[in-house]
Amino acid sequence: MSGDRPLATLVAEPWADYGLVDSGHGRKLERYGRFRFVRPEPQALWAPAAEEWRHDGEFLGASDEEGGGRWHLDRGVPRSWPLAWEEVRFHAANTPFRHLAFFPDMAPQWAWMRARLRPEDEVMNLFGYTGVGSLALAARGARVTHVDASKKSVETGKVNAELSGMADRPIRWMVDDATKFAAREVRRGRRYAGIMLDPPKFGRGPTGEVWRLEEGLPGLIADCVRLLTPESRFLVLTVYAVRMSALAIGELLRQATAALGGRVEAGDMAVREEARGLLLPTAIFARWSPATGSTAP
């Protein structure tokens, strides 16, 4: 049918410092450098490959749906430790939010964006967190505006830049509310060659601004599109932990970018399990790219 919208699957493969070792029965076992951790994973509906898992710590989730819980770590696990993806160096850490201070399933997105960059392109990373994605683009010569409401996350991003030997790269580290910053950039008449954004389901800005994904996303995407031109290289949207379809965010992005032309893809992000090669879904995404330019995967 002409109206069909095929969905893509982006698969993060294991690399030296990260791998999904095993999964099943609502949990997953991952390696982060020399350490292994167990975390809840509701989508791991199958049985694990191994009956027992050797690990250095486990996050035990709370019984409510608010995402609470706490880590139970062996004494040998430090507060943070260095990892690498390609030429980017950064610190992993067991955060109160159950993740490890970066999102390994973003690796295929980083590679896709890097393949489309031109020398000196100016890009923006909204909800940039600890800056691994920003550094992945800066490593290829991009000028980066990194925006996050958390001062602690932005400071961690600067530390990661130093660890990567990129403290002198042209990165603007902004502690700001992402929606307000994007709106101001529109009023300033700014344009970007690429934008990536990873908005949370719920959040608060640095001065108490409230963010709810379903309410705020359409307006934010509209502002992001106003910051692009038909010659821009990409807009990448990723969404975690929501009861929402990739079809929904794909249609939102198609409508918003209609005047730019180009192509919109949408689908699932997943990590390949090392034990059996099965795919564990982690997030949904939608991304725009122009009609011409690199076709690298």
Side-chain angles (χ1 to χ4, degrees):
M1 295 176 62
S2 61
D4 287 349
R5 300 293 198 194
L7 296 178
T9 301
L10 296 184
V11 181
E13 304 288 352
W15 73 83
D17 273 352
Y18 173 78
L20 173 63
V21 179
D22 197 358
S23 62
H25 291 165
R27 301 191 305 162
K28 58 185 175 183
L29 173 66
E30 299 163 292
R31 56 177 179 83
Y32 290 82
R34 66 185 188 276
F35 301 108
R36 292 185 173 203
F37 302 103
V38 176
R39 294 191 288 162
E41 181 47 74
Q43 299 204 77
L45 303 175
W46 44 83
E51 293 184 4
E52 295 184 6
W53 289 345
R54 179 184 60 80
H55 57 79
D56 301 287
E58 180 173 4
F59 188 93
L60 298 178
S63 58
D64 57 49
E65 295 186 359
E66 297 300 317
R70 59 172 298 184
W71 284 100
H72 294 263
L73 302 173
D74 292 347
R75 290 185 177 181
V77 178
R79 184 182 298 271
S80 67
W81 62 99
L83 298 180
W85 178 81
E86 301 286 345
E87 66 271 70
V88 179
R89 305 292 184 267
F90 54 93
H91 289 278
N94 301 94
T95 75
F97 310 104
R98 84 174 57 192
H99 51 74
L100 277 292
F102 79 107
F103 297 98
D105 57 339
M106 283 294 297
Q109 299 281 25
W110 300 331
W112 184 86
M113 289 183 282
R114 281 156 60 109
R116 283 156 176 77
L117 284 175
R118 300 162 297 194
E120 303 302 314
D121 272 344
E122 187 167 3
V123 300
M124 181 164 62
N125 186 5
L126 292 173
F127 308 96
Y129 195 37
T130 58
V132 180
S134 295
L135 295 172
L137 301 186
R140 292 299 174 91
R143 294 173 291 148
V144 182
T145 296
H146 175 104
V147 185
D148 198 281
S150 166
K151 182 178 180 180
K152 181 178 180 181
S153 292
V154 171
E155 291 302 317
T156 299
K158 294 178 182 179
V159 172
N160 287 335
E162 293 180 2
L163 185 65
S164 298
M166 288 190 268
D168 61 344
R169 297 295 175 93
I171 304 175
R172 288 199 297 165
W173 299 100
M174 311 297 295
V175 179
D176 207 335
D177 176 79
T179 57
K180 290 185 175 181
F181 184 85
R184 288 199 302 273
E185 292 289 84
V186 170
R187 292 194 294 270
R188 293 168 182 146
R190 294 290 299 272
R191 294 293 185 270
Y192 288 89
I195 298 174
M196 60 173 157
L197 64 159
D198 178 23
K201 178 180 180 180
F202 176 85
R204 293 188 182 276
T207 58
E209 302 91 339
V210 175
W211 163 266
R212 292 183 177 86
L213 184 73
E214 291 84 355
E215 299 172 7
L217 186 59
L220 177 58
I221 289 295
D223 278 343
C224 286
V225 171
R226 294 184 184 104
L227 296 171
L228 302 175
T229 72
E231 290 72 42
S232 295
R233 311 309 292 164
F234 57 79
L235 191 162
V236 173
L237 166 67
T238 55
V239 178
Y240 290 79
V242 295
R243 294 185 178 95
M244 186 181 293
S245 169
L247 287 171
I249 63 172
E251 295 299 345
L252 170 65
L253 197 56
R254 284 187 185 92
Q255 184 181 81
T257 59
L260 295 178
R263 177 188 183 213
V264 170
E265 300 172 87
D268 288 324
M269 293 165 58
V271 177
R272 190 181 306 280
E273 183 194 274
E274 293 178 321
R276 296 162 292 187
L278 60 76
L279 300 182
L280 177 67
T282 57
I284 58 176
F285 79 95
R287 64 189 186 189
W288 169 87
S289 56
T292 60
S294 171
T295 58

